[in-house]
Amino acid sequence: KWRDMNPLEWREFIHHEVCVTACDEQRFEGSVFTVDPVSASVVLVTFQETDRASVRVILGHAVKEVRILRSGSEETERRMKRLIVPDTTPSLCPEELQSRRENLRLWLERNRFPVTEDGQDLRVASVLTISAPYRPEDCSCTNEIILARVQSLVQNKQYAPTITDDIT
Amino acid sequence: MSLKPPVGVQRLPRGPDPNSRGFDRSSPRFIALCPTSIPSSASTGPGIEEEQRVRSELRERFLRTLLMMTDKPVQFNMYEKVQVPARFGASDIDILNFQVSDLETPLGVQKEALLWCQDVISCSFEL
């Protein structure tokens, strides 16, 4: 029954404190971080006093019942959202971002990738997007081969000397 | 993670072809477990877009969970109250197999192993 639910139904559980009964009658409690739509696996998070957290993944095939115990608090929701964006890179000012973007654009063009600017983002070969602050993990693309190639270029860019005007 | 020396890999006699049994994508077991299509409740219209958006959001969170788990010591809670610690490596796309390292079993430490997710009830780790 759990596995037959649709994503909208699973989404109803997110952030709430639940008790999951597994097929061997074990019970697990925690706040729902997500339910995998492919395997129906439930991810429970229990936040500790300090910044630590315990995470438990209960495989979908082993889930017998999921019961909501308490509504999720805003604090829980906030801490969970931070799990999704764990990188606390120091925020760059607009000029630095602009210069990084420009340098990266030139670097990609020198490596024979057509690049256009799309607001704050760089659009590479019309299929890949790089958003601020233009690190390898800021690349997104549906083609994994192009993604890997561009990511390694962006990675190398960080160690290459800054491109100045007189090189071109 | 413990520093126990790994045991040598015991190779059992090979079974009938195809090799690798349930891990083989053409085996009846794999075909039975691996869904070839995803059902959706809404057949057409705006409902399906919302469902797809939520599906992506849920899946992204799950993939990030797997990323958080990578290279960390994880406790695998299997059937018959068997608990085995190991270092998590990777999962396949259908969440049918987990690749782990330094799996501590009653027989000793297996340097590298593949776990069938069907044998795993849950796994836990610390952040």
Side-chain angles (χ1 to χ4, degrees):
Chain A
K1 218 218 101 188
W2 174 254
R3 304 193 70 175
D4 299 327
M5 284 194 197
N6 70 55
L8 295 165
E9 291 175 291
W10 283 323
R11 207 257 298 257
E12 290 302 302
F13 289 88
I14 297 217
H15 298 141
H16 298 315
E17 252 185 85
V18 302
C19 176
V20 178
T21 308
C23 51
D24 63 347
E25 302 305 320
Q26 269 188 92
R27 296 225 166 109
F28 304 107
E29 283 186 23
S31 304
V32 180
F33 179 62
T34 191
V35 178
D36 177 34
V38 171
S39 62
S41 303
V42 183
V43 181
L44 297 180
V45 180
T46 308
F47 288 109
Q48 259 100 63
E49 291 304 319
T50 53
D51 232 2
R52 309 183 60 94
S54 319
V55 183
R56 181 174 291 276
V57 179
I58 303 147
L59 278 293
H61 67 83
V63 173
K64 202 165 136 190
E65 188 201 23
V66 180
R67 210 174 25 146
I68 298 186
L69 299 172
R70 273 171 292 273
S71 242
S73 65
E74 273 190 37
E75 169 68 18
T76 305
E77 195 171 329
R78 218 171 329 124
R79 287 182 85 169
M80 282 205 183
K81 291 220 167 111
R82 256 190 276 138
L83 288 176
I84 306 172
V85 191
D87 271 338
T88 42
T89 46
S91 48
L92 302 167
C93 69
E95 291 82 24
E96 282 169 330
L97 281 176
Q98 160 88 329
S99 127
R100 276 193 94 159
R101 188 171 68 240
E102 187 55 22
N103 282 328
L104 182 56
R105 187 179 70 79
L106 291 169
W107 173 244
L108 290 168
E109 281 177 353
R110 284 188 64 177
N111 282 275
R112 308 236 176 278
F113 277 97
V115 189
T116 53
E117 285 190 26
D118 180 9
Q120 290 291 322
D121 298 340
L122 286 177
R123 194 104 176 108
V124 182
S126 311
V127 294
L128 183 146
T129 305
I130 314 177
S131 26
Y134 317 108
R135 305 158 301 177
E137 56 264 47
D138 301 311
C139 298
S140 60
C141 180
T142 53
N143 181 313
E144 54 215 58
I145 295 168
I146 297 178
L147 179 63
R149 174 84 183 103
V150 174
Q151 274 179 324
S152 81
L153 264 186
V154 177
Q155 180 74 42
N156 293 337
K157 164 73 183 65
Q158 291 172 7
Y159 301 108
T162 318
I163 299 166
T164 53
D165 284 339
D166 49 51
I167 292 175
T168 51
Chain B
M1 258 348 266
S2 75
L3 293 168
K4 295 181 201 157
V7 295
V9 175
Q10 297 281 342
R11 288 221 178 273
L12 299 171
R14 284 200 180 278
D17 269 338
N19 289 327
S20 45
R21 295 181 177 145
F23 296 114
D24 181 356
R25 295 192 157 241
S26 55
S27 69
R29 182 185 184 278
F30 190 93
I31 292 169
L33 286 173
C34 180
T36 48
S37 67
I38 303 171
S40 73
S41 53
S43 49
T44 51
I48 201 164
E49 273 185 39
E50 172 69 1
E51 185 174 315
Q52 195 53 22
R53 196 190 60 76
V54 172
R55 197 187 292 279
S56 304
E57 186 189 319
L58 293 174
R59 180 68 169 173
E60 183 184 343
R61 282 183 171 222
F62 189 73
L63 293 177
R64 290 201 185 274
T65 306
L66 293 178
L67 276 176
M68 287 192 269
M69 214 156 75
T70 305
D71 290 334
K72 289 212 171 69
V74 175
Q75 192 80 234
F76 290 93
N77 164 227
M78 326 273 277
Y79 284 90
E80 308 295 331
K81 306 235 189 295
V82 172
Q83 303 251 20
V84 278
R87 189 170 296 275
F88 182 77
S91 168
D92 64 357
I93 193 172
D94 304 301
I95 321 298
L96 290 177
N97 302 300
F98 285 154
Q99 178 252 317
V100 299
S101 311
D102 298 325
L103 178 73
E104 291 177 40
T105 74
L107 289 174
V109 178
Q110 299 289 338
K111 192 102 181 52
E112 305 291 340
L114 277 177
L115 297 177
W116 274 339
C117 290
Q118 289 294 113
D119 294 340
V120 178
I121 294 178
S122 75
C123 55
S124 58
F125 63 102
E126 302 289 312
L127 274 180

